[in-house]
Amino acid sequence: MEKKYEVLKRYYGYDTFREGQEELIDTLLAGEDAFGIMPTGAGKSLCYQIPALIFRGITLVISPLISLMKDQVAALNQAGVYAAYLNSSLTQGQYFKALEFAKTGKYKIIYVAPERLLTESFLSFALQADISFVAVDEVHCVSQWGQDFRPSYLKIVEFVKRLPKRPVLGAFTATATQAVKDDVIRILELKKPRVVTTGFDRKNLSFEVRTGKDKQSELLSILREHEGESGVIYCITRKLVEEVYELLTARGLSVTKYHAGLPDDERRDNQDDFIYDRKKLMVATNAFGMGIDKSDVRFVIHYNMPKNMESYYQEAGRAGRDGDEAECILLFSAQDVRTNQFFIENNRENEELSEVELLEVIDKDKERLRKMTNYCYTSDCLRGYMLSYFGEKTTGYCGNCSNCLKNYEETDVSKYARLILGCIEECREKFGMTVIIDTLRGSQSEKIQKYRLQHNSYYGAARDVSADRLKQIMKHLISEYYLAQTDDMYAVLKLTEHSYEITVKGEQVLMKLPKEKEIVQPRVSLKQVNRKLGGVRAASDNPMLYEELRRLRNETARRMGVPAYVVFTDKTLQEMSMYLPVTRDEMLSINGVAQAKYEKYGRDFMEMIAQYKEEHAREHKKPQAKARIKF
Ligand code: ADP
Ligand code: MG
């Protein structure tokens, strides 16, 4: 097997590369400079980590953020790679200790903050080390056109020039505007770099702008629709974070907060509470999120419009990293424009800037704010607007943003509401949405057979309506408290004290629905796209096992003191619960199970699965035996 595939499998547990990754890795391994422009979540880290593991010498990764370095190094260590970071979060002693180790060649990958590069201590190490490769992450920081200009990034080129042998250079960012691209190549003096840009479209995300007057009630109503799911709420100021946090706490919601005004340890604890699922909602300023790779965030709400499209794309992009559907909603008011303007004009944060640079940056920031504001006002496709901002061609209709879906019509759905509630009642409130929809639409799926739902008197009663529409109606019933959903993974549907108003009293149910022909088609194809991309359905085929595996994963993570997704992601567990691996080879064939992880945790998970299989085999026999007696 080719080396890069071996490394991919061994350290990350994946079988295939994603779009763009292979091209970048091949280029770097061939000793040529490369420039990867890929959206957040696309998998840029792997593009420099894999060459780093294959190159003979050391790789330096330059990265602007301490939290980001820490997480990546922790993940690498978990995967069995020797890596370290050098930044201001280390004490003097720790720093020199790490440098000592670095000198002995202990680390294959070293993350370093840009302002360290030209310090005497670091240089004395770098000049005598065998550095094969320098990867610059978040490379837009080198440009005034980037959303986060850092003059210390300008030192990189000088540092590289001081090295006895020029290493291969790799640059990575999620910002794809032409101005930034040009700056990166020019300022870093990349040598005929191979530039790889992958699509910015995140198909599993839906986009929405709301301009309602009352943001608080708008927010609460969104949260009702997402009960039990992980979500981030971004606010523009610390004060607003506190306000919204108070609002949600008062409602008894599972919520935490994050902003630069909180003490370090509180911030860290709160972040952990969110990552480890102890709290479902995170209310934060834009200080939160960089380097956080929680994959199951189901929605990102912007309580205020952010200052530019780059920030919006990046922050909203923290939703749905696992590839499952997720929502990005922006609550807009004209006041947001004024607040941002004020911030831009008074921004003195970046002390590294000269007066002239500062004025230029302000001008560019204002221009970008205008573009962001237009996003909130446009009646065109939001996805289209965003993609063309990043220089991509679009079709102008995505079918999955609030503008594309604006053609709503008031629809009487009483008939379907009664069928849904009736079916749930007859099933004795034992199932979730998918099973109920399958029953109503007369599906012949295995589950239907298994639970003998073809004998339910509502079986096939709603064949004339799409599954998506039934789901929309159910969600509406839930938001109006005619129906409830348990908050465990399987989300079983339950009737409420109000259900009878529809089933018995015959109350009419009206709701705003997008016109069928315009919504259903794209939604279906969206699912197909997800499936093609290897997306696994949210509900696993063996929900009980999935829950057990999650519990084991969470326990393991707690014991190891790492976030849950560092052990295995939900997606990996879903695959396990579908394919039921019980041997080493079967386990290693699961996406996300790498060699090191297999060795660390594989056995426990396999044991649990084997046990489940055994119990299940026994259970399976029972209904069959019954069936024989009956017929
Ligand atoms: P970026 O830096 O581009 O925002 P990351 O490098 O943090 O993205 O990767 C995002 C997620 O995608 C990580 O959880 C990573 O493990 C996963 N990932 C990266 N490459 C692959 C791949 N080839 N197959 C499956 N998952 C991948
Ligand atoms: Mg990254």
Side-chain angles (χ1 to χ4, degrees):
M1 205 193 326
E2 231 186 312
K3 189 82 186 173
K4 64 184 177 210
Y5 280 104
E6 223 176 281
V7 172
L8 179 70
K9 185 72 194 161
R10 176 163 173 170
Y11 292 105
Y12 302 88
Y14 302 133
D15 291 310
T16 48
F17 285 106
R18 289 192 183 153
E19 192 192 346
Q21 288 181 327
E22 204 166 359
E23 200 180 343
L24 285 160
I25 292 170
D26 287 345
T27 305
L28 293 164
L29 286 175
E32 289 162 31
D33 290 357
F35 182 9
I37 300 155
M38 298 156 96
T40 303
K44 291 183 285 294
S45 329
L46 212 137
C47 300
Y48 55 79
Q49 288 172 354
I50 287 187
L53 291 167
I54 297 176
F55 279 129
R56 212 171 53 89
I58 295 171
T59 290
L60 298 181
V61 180
I62 297 165
S63 168
L65 285 157
I66 290 171
S67 66
L68 207 120
M69 293 191 210
K70 207 175 125 221
D71 286 6
Q72 298 229 350
V73 168
L76 283 169
N77 290 340
Q78 275 291 309
V81 175
Y82 284 109
Y85 55 85
L86 300 173
N87 60 37
S88 59
S89 76
L90 302 179
T91 62
Q92 189 87 334
Q94 288 170 324
Y95 178 75
F96 283 106
K97 183 106 195 153
L99 261 186
E100 251 346 279
F101 280 136
K103 279 181 190 161
T104 65
K106 182 175 157 96
Y107 307 122
K108 198 76 189 133
I109 305 182
I110 298 171
Y111 281 72
V112 57
E115 59 274 12
R116 295 264 151 184
L117 293 172
L118 294 176
T119 59
E120 205 175 309
S121 54
F122 188 75
L123 268 179
S124 82
F125 151 70
L127 293 181
Q128 52 89 46
D130 176 17
I131 297 171
S132 303
F133 174 34
V134 173
V136 187
D137 205 1
E138 314 289 344
V139 73
H140 54 269
C141 292
V142 84
S143 166
Q144 288 186 6
W145 281 106
Q147 74 272 31
D148 194 15
F149 175 48
R150 287 173 189 245
S152 55
Y153 259 59
L154 300 173
K155 294 179 183 158
I156 295 170
V157 75
E158 192 188 332
F159 168 76
V160 170
K161 281 185 179 155
R162 303 266 302 255
L163 295 175
K165 193 183 88 208
R166 184 185 187 275
V168 180
L169 283 188
F172 301 88
T173 179
T175 303
T177 53
Q178 195 57 45
V180 171
K181 283 194 246 183
D182 293 346
D183 270 2
V184 166
I185 297 177
R186 185 176 55 82
I187 296 171
L188 281 186
E189 300 183 18
L190 298 182
K191 276 195 205 152
K192 291 200 197 118
R194 166 93 61 128
V195 182
V196 177
T197 310
T198 64
F200 266 63
D201 193 4
R202 295 274 308 278
K203 292 194 172 59
N204 61 322
L205 302 186
S206 69
F207 293 96
E208 180 174 1
V209 174
R210 295 194 189 184
T211 44
K213 287 234 158 41
D214 184 356
K215 287 193 184 190
Q216 292 200 351
S217 58
E218 212 51 88
L219 174 65
L220 290 171
S221 107
I222 299 171
L223 294 182
R224 266 200 299 278
E225 281 171 35
H226 286 276
E227 218 178 306
E229 298 176 350
S230 275
V232 181
I233 299 143
Y234 279 109
C235 301
I236 201 165
T237 58
R238 297 173 191 184
K239 187 161 161 268
L240 264 177
V241 168
E242 294 292 345
E243 265 175 49
V244 171
Y245 172 79
E246 288 304 321
L247 172 78
L248 302 185
T249 308
R251 303 275 157 146
L253 293 168
S254 168
V255 57
T256 185
K257 61 183 171 179
Y258 190 104
H259 59 69
L262 297 173
D264 280 356
D265 51 347
E266 185 178 346
R267 228 169 20 186
R268 201 175 40 241
D269 288 349
N270 292 354
Q271 175 173 319
D272 284 352
D273 281 346
F274 180 66
I275 291 177
Y276 291 87
D277 285 323
R278 293 188 287 263
K279 294 283 163 63
K280 284 291 177 190
L281 304 174
M282 168 58 86
V283 186
T285 59
N286 61 6
F288 174 77
M290 265 283 207
I292 286 167
D293 179 23
K294 184 170 169 56
S295 56
D296 61 350
V297 174
R298 292 271 69 82
F299 59 93
V300 171
I301 300 169
H302 278 77
Y303 200 72
N304 308 98
M305 177 183 74
K307 62 179 187 292
N308 55 43
M309 292 296 297
E310 286 89 344
S311 308
Y312 186 62
Y313 181 86
Q314 195 159 56
E315 287 156 21
R318 299 203 168 105
R321 277 183 160 222
D322 52 12
D324 288 337
E325 282 177 37
E327 279 188 69
C328 310
I329 304 172
L330 196 164
L331 305 179
F332 173 75
S333 71
Q335 177 60 39
D336 296 340
V337 184
R338 290 191 287 272
T339 312
N340 275 303
Q341 230 149 13
F342 177 83
F343 282 153
I344 289 174
E345 279 159 13
N346 294 282
N347 179 8
R348 297 286 179 276
E349 252 171 47
N350 205 330
E351 289 167 3
E352 294 178 72
L353 298 183
S354 71
E355 199 56 31
V356 180
E357 281 173 336
L358 184 67
L359 289 177
E360 277 175 34
V361 166
I362 288 178
D363 257 7
K364 286 167 184 166
D365 282 351
K366 282 189 175 166
E367 176 59 25
R368 284 201 300 232
L369 176 60
R370 265 191 291 280
K371 298 254 170 72
M372 180 74 240
T373 312
N374 287 344
Y375 173 86
C376 299
Y377 280 121
T378 185
S379 53
D380 295 340
C381 171
L382 294 176
R383 187 185 307 274
Y385 183 94
M386 189 175 301
L387 292 177
S388 62
Y389 179 85
F390 292 115
E392 274 186 44
K393 285 201 188 69
T394 61
T395 56
Y397 180 85
C398 76
N400 200 12
C401 74
S402 53
N403 285 346
C404 284
L405 297 176
K406 226 170 218 141
N407 291 318
Y408 289 101
E409 54 192 350
E410 183 104 298
T411 316
D412 182 346
V413 295
S414 314
K415 174 185 152 195
Y416 298 111
R418 273 192 288 278
L419 293 177
I420 290 167
L421 297 174
C423 182
I424 293 170
E425 186 172 29
E426 198 174 310
C427 295
R428 288 196 240 130
E429 307 174 66
K430 278 195 307 209
F431 301 105
M433 274 194 192
T434 316
V435 171
I436 298 298
I437 290 173
D438 282 354
T439 307
L440 287 166
R441 300 191 70 239
S443 151
Q444 311 210 358
S445 73
E446 255 182 60
K447 255 195 187 144
I448 297 289
Q449 313 271 341
K450 183 170 151 207
Y451 298 117
R452 307 176 56 77
L453 291 169
Q454 67 272 41
H455 303 302
N456 186 297
S457 55
Y458 291 87
Y459 181 76
R463 280 205 172 92
D464 57 329
V465 62
S466 70
D468 275 85
R469 179 136 298 191
L470 284 174
K471 200 167 174 184
Q472 287 160 355
I473 298 170
M474 286 182 180
K475 284 189 169 172
H476 177 72
L477 292 175
I478 291 170
S479 71
E480 300 287 311
Y481 301 106
Y482 289 121
L483 185 58
Q485 211 170 9
T486 57
D487 59 7
D488 51 309
M489 165 65 199
Y490 193 33
V492 174
L493 293 169
K494 301 276 182 195
L495 299 182
T496 70
E497 53 184 358
H498 297 293
S499 304
Y500 83 101
E501 291 167 16
I502 295 173
T503 50
V504 181
K505 286 166 87 182
E507 209 167 87
Q508 197 185 28
V509 186
L510 291 175
M511 68 180 282
K512 285 235 163 103
L513 275 173
K515 287 174 186 150
E516 185 93 271
K517 67 177 189 320
E518 292 193 54
I519 174 163
V520 170
Q521 273 327 97
R523 285 248 165 167
V524 168
S525 68
L526 175 68
K527 284 223 183 85
Q528 284 164 347
V529 170
N530 282 344
R531 213 168 293 143
K532 223 172 67 196
L533 290 172
V536 183
R537 276 167 300 149
S540 136
D541 277 4
N542 296 303
M544 305 284 269
L545 172 63
Y546 174 69
E547 267 315 298
E548 284 294 294
L549 292 171
R550 269 176 58 111
R551 201 182 44 69
L552 175 62
R553 186 265 320 260
N554 295 347
E555 249 171 40
T556 311
R558 238 191 318 274
R559 211 176 53 237
M560 312 287 290
V562 296
Y565 61 78
V566 169
V567 176
F568 290 125
T569 63
D570 281 354
K571 244 187 149 114
T572 298
L573 297 181
Q574 273 164 14
E575 272 202 25
M576 285 188 200
S577 72
M578 275 167 80
Y579 298 112
L580 308 176
V582 289
T583 65
R584 180 178 177 277
D585 285 350
E586 282 170 359
M587 200 57 158
L588 285 171
S589 76
I590 298 288
N591 248 323
V593 182
Q595 190 84 25
K597 286 195 187 175
Y598 170 78
E599 274 154 25
K600 269 194 208 122
Y601 323 115
R603 188 164 301 274
D604 292 347
F605 285 82
M606 272 164 24
E607 260 169 28
M608 178 172 274
I609 292 166
Q611 198 180 347
Y612 175 86
K613 259 184 155 168
E614 201 176 291
E615 281 166 15
H616 215 63
R618 277 204 300 275
E619 243 175 51
H620 253 342
K621 288 195 189 111
K622 279 189 233 149
Q624 274 169 6
K626 248 193 213 155
R628 256 203 305 280
I629 297 166
K630 193 168 175 190
F631 294 104

